[in-house]
Amino acid sequence: MPKLGMEPIRRADVINATLTCISMYGIDGMTLDKVAEHADCSKGVVTYYFKNKDNLTVEAFKAFMAYYGQKIQAKIDPTMTPAEMMGVTLKYILPPYQDDADQSINVSQLEGIEKMYIPYEDQGKLFVQFFSKAALDPKLQEVVAKSYTADLHGIAKIFDYGNMTGHMSVKDSPSAAYGLLAMVVGLSFFRVTNIPPVNGEDNRYICEDYVSRFRGG
């Protein structure tokens, strides 16, 4: 049994190690032994908290999906305009390219939101691994559904705020949010499969153009 008071730290270390292993080896190649090695703990500690690989995979996926909402919530300020709020949202759900391979995965809030980070390429690898498995795994599908339902609600609220302030004109906020999130998911798949836009730019501009159509009141 782990030392008293170490539970939050150990759990965070194991989740971060799991995401690292999935990025490196894929979900099929991720093992409890590899996770224990990357977390600098025993395999017994891993199974003490997460029982088996299936449970660990689900919890790691939850942490991966939650990461984006946590970063967005921490950065959005009530004094921002709707456009600025949407800019923050897009920055995290479809981040611009960064050469950050020297950074490591950390989805724990123990050291504060600012310390939370998933390097650019790791985000793409994890996205493909989890979503490919979710197609056949009801437990992973449930994680996606809960996370994206919350995202849709948050994006729709920004559109509603834009309507209220006169900065945007959106007839159907839930549908506009659905379209934007669907676009983000599709563009994410295009990124990881190296399908560039016609003009060769970062494909996030497509989402920005979509949002710009609602501006102007």
Side-chain angles (χ1 to χ4, degrees), residues 14-30:
V14 171
I15 290 295
N16 287 334
T18 301
L19 293 173
T20 299
C21 287
I22 291 173
S23 179
M24 293 175 66
Y25 312 112
I27 291 177
D28 291 337
M30 180 268 287

Side-chain angles (χ1 to χ4, degrees), residues 180-202:
L180 179 59
L181 190 57
M183 194 176 297
V184 167
V185 174
L187 291 172
S188 296
F189 273 111
F190 272 30
R191 280 186 173 189
V192 296
T193 51
N194 295 316
I195 303 175
V198 175
N199 62 14
E201 294 181 23
D202 186 330

Side-chain angles (χ1 to χ4, degrees), residues 26-179:
I27 291 177
D28 291 337
M30 180 268 287
T31 66
L32 299 184
D33 288 314
K34 288 177 181 176
V35 169
E37 180 181 351
H38 281 271
D40 194 22
C41 66
S42 69
K43 182 178 177 180
V45 169
V46 178
T47 56
Y48 176 79
Y49 289 125
F50 300 100
K51 295 184 179 180
N52 54 50
K53 178 176 175 176
D54 287 343
N55 286 340
L56 181 56
T57 301
V58 170
E59 292 305 314
F61 191 24
K62 287 180 182 178
F64 173 66
M65 295 297 287
Y67 164 84
Y68 297 94
Q70 291 165 346
K71 295 292 280 188
I72 291 168
Q73 289 176 15
K75 291 295 183 179
I76 285 184
D77 187 280
T79 63
M80 289 180 173
T81 67
E84 289 170 336
M85 291 180 178
M86 197 64 76
V88 169
T89 301
L90 289 177
K91 175 184 175 181
Y92 286 101
I93 61 176
L94 193 68
Y97 174 76
Q98 296 181 63
D99 183 8
D100 55 4
D102 58 328
Q103 299 280 349
S104 57
I105 294 173
N106 176 29
V107 294
S108 168
Q109 296 188 58
L110 292 178
E111 297 180 71
I113 294 287
E114 291 298 329
K115 295 289 186 179
M116 295 174 67
Y117 197 78
I118 305 178
Y120 184 85
E121 290 193 7
D122 288 311
Q123 291 189 45
K125 293 175 183 177
L126 291 169
F127 179 83
V128 170
Q129 284 294 317
F130 281 125
F131 278 77
S132 61
K133 290 295 182 182
L136 299 173
D137 188 327
K139 290 183 179 179
L140 296 183
Q141 289 173 15
E142 184 179 355
V143 175
V144 177
K146 287 184 177 180
S147 178
Y148 278 173
T149 297
D151 291 342
L152 287 169
H153 180 68
I155 294 170
K157 284 181 65 176
I158 296 176
F159 279 131
D160 285 336
Y161 181 52
N163 278 334
M164 183 183 72
T165 59
H167 288 92
M168 294 180 176
S169 179
V170 188
K171 293 182 179 179
D172 185 348
S173 293
S175 293
Y178 192 97

